[in-house]
Amino acid sequence: MLNSDDLRFFRIIANHSSLAATARALNVTPPTVTQRLQTIEQKLKLKLVERHARQITLTDEGLLLAERARLILAEMDDLHEVLNSQQHEISGCLKILAPLGFGQEYIAPLVTEFQGRHQSLSVELELSDNPDWSSGHAWDIMIYIGELRSSSLKLSVLAANRRFLCASPAYIAKYGQPETPADLRQHACIALRENAEDVTMWRFTANGSDKQEAVRINPKLASNDGRVIKQWALAGCGIIQRSEWDVAAQLKSGELVRLLSDYELPCADIVALLGTDLRARSARTSKFLELLKQRFAQQPWKQ
């Protein structure tokens, strides 16, 4: 008979690409993971995992167990929280996924503040600019910035966030400013590769117009880290397209200069993605969402 520890263990396996990755996540040896998985399979008299050279796949029975384990463990966590709520406590484990740079700058401080208010609560914060959306159900709240093509999750807007085109005064002094989007083809552009977007296609809409103009840039530099491309821009290496939250301070100080201000880039609102079942949403999730909305409504990057 399986117990809750078995279910939690198998959920971890299901969220990783290999048994070695599971072992690293649990800080144990791979043989320990293999032995415990075999024990679970022996209990059920079922094969749950197909082992390949460098990865694993779940069998149909394994997929069923992983999904039912998620539901059962969520119910157990919610029951624990309901019982604790009788004493007005927020408890359990809050799991948050956020973009790397924004998460470090704005989400991590709120996590420590929130956990400090609720001592019975634990929080897991994962930062990634290329999240695995197939495991989205593993998180209570996912913070997202950028174009969201489709999602079955409920979206809650935390703050408006414009994108700006900018470069350093040193770059402008040396190469001049583009007057139109088409001029970017003659400039050194820097691309940020994130969220599986087409990052070399920059789209502009002239102020007061609905007509969109798209320019395919040929980036001289590219990175998947927003901090890196901003440092390149500050060093005079080229022109970047970046979120207001990230460059507001540098635009205010004059370290960066906004370009093509007669045009607007597609907005990249900061949103929280949550499960669609409001009844299953825990108090810890709802309370943390309230804190996010309260703080980001003030758009602290503008202050």
Side-chain angles (χ1 to χ4, degrees):
M1 195 74 176
L2 298 186
N3 56 40
S4 61
D5 288 340
D6 292 331
L7 297 180
R8 292 187 192 279
F9 173 76
F10 191 72
R11 285 282 299 142
I12 296 172
I13 287 180
N15 286 329
H16 288 83
S17 60
S18 67
L19 296 184
T22 302
R24 287 192 294 272
L26 293 171
N27 196 27
V28 298
T29 64
T32 300
V33 171
T34 299
Q35 184 176 9
R36 187 166 181 190
L37 173 60
Q38 289 173 344
T39 300
I40 293 174
E41 290 179 325
Q42 288 168 3
K43 284 183 180 181
L44 296 172
K45 296 182 174 57
L46 291 171
K47 190 173 183 60
L48 302 174
V49 172
E50 294 286 357
R51 300 160 181 80
H52 308 291
R54 294 188 177 180
Q55 64 179 10
I56 59 171
T57 57
L58 301 185
T59 64
D60 290 344
E61 292 79 8
L63 288 169
L64 177 61
L65 178 61
E67 177 59 20
R68 292 300 297 270
R70 180 182 70 84
L71 298 173
I72 292 168
L73 292 171
E75 286 287 341
M76 292 177 66
D77 287 343
D78 287 344
L79 175 59
H80 187 250
E81 185 167 339
V82 167
L83 293 174
N84 283 329
S85 69
Q86 303 301 314
Q87 302 175 3
H88 308 289
E89 287 188 33
I90 298 292
S91 62
C93 181
L94 178 65
K95 298 181 179 181
I96 307 165
L97 177 67
L100 186 60
F102 187 79
Q104 290 175 331
E105 185 78 17
Y106 292 105
I107 302 299
L110 290 182
V111 165
T112 54
E113 177 184 337
F114 189 68
Q115 197 283 325
R117 293 181 188 177
H118 308 288
Q119 295 297 312
S120 297
L121 177 73
S122 62
V123 183
E124 293 181 14
L125 172 63
E126 180 163 322
L127 303 179
S128 173
D129 286 330
N130 292 289
D132 178 7
W133 291 105
S134 66
S135 61
H137 56 265
W139 309 97
D140 297 305
I141 295 183
M142 289 169 282
I143 311 301
Y144 188 86
I145 302 174
E147 180 184 358
L148 187 64
R149 290 176 174 80
S150 64
S151 176
S152 60
L153 301 171
K154 180 176 175 57
L155 182 150
S156 180
V157 177
L158 302 177
N161 176 54
R162 295 179 293 172
R163 281 174 168 157
F164 294 145
L165 206 68
C166 47
S168 71
Y171 177 88
I172 294 169
K174 188 172 182 179
Y175 299 103
Q177 295 193 38
E179 299 296 329
T180 68
D183 292 342
L184 291 170
R185 296 189 180 98
Q186 280 72 54
H187 280 268
C189 296
I190 301 172
L192 173 64
R193 302 192 182 280
E194 63 177 354
N195 294 337
E197 294 183 15
D198 186 354
V199 298
T200 62
M201 182 65 77
W202 289 3
R203 296 177 173 83
F204 301 84
T205 304
N207 292 338
S209 170
D210 293 330
K211 185 177 179 181
Q212 190 178 83
E213 182 175 350
V215 176
R216 175 72 69 182
I217 63 163
N218 181 24
K220 300 297 183 183
L221 294 167
S223 175
N224 67 337
D225 191 323
R227 296 165 299 181
V228 169
I229 72 159
K230 185 166 76 169
Q231 287 302 317
W232 283 339
L234 289 167
C237 298
I239 297 171
I240 60 171
Q241 180 185 152
R242 200 69 189 110
S243 285
E244 183 177 13
W245 74 262
D246 191 36
V247 296
Q250 288 74 33
L251 291 173
K252 186 175 181 180
S253 70
E255 295 174 274
L256 291 175
V257 176
R258 185 180 175 189
L259 306 176
L260 296 179
S261 56
D262 290 336
Y263 295 83
E264 293 291 333
L265 291 160
C267 290
D269 290 345
I270 301 164
V271 304
L273 300 174
L274 310 104
T276 55
D277 189 349
L278 296 177
R279 295 170 301 173
R281 189 171 304 160
S282 64
R284 58 183 175 270
T285 301
S286 299
K287 289 294 183 182
F288 189 69
L289 180 61
E290 287 177 17
L291 179 62
L292 291 173
K293 288 182 174 180
Q294 176 190 353
R295 296 300 171 81
F296 294 147
Q298 303 166 27
Q299 295 184 301
W301 41 91
K302 289 186 176 182
Q303 299 172 11

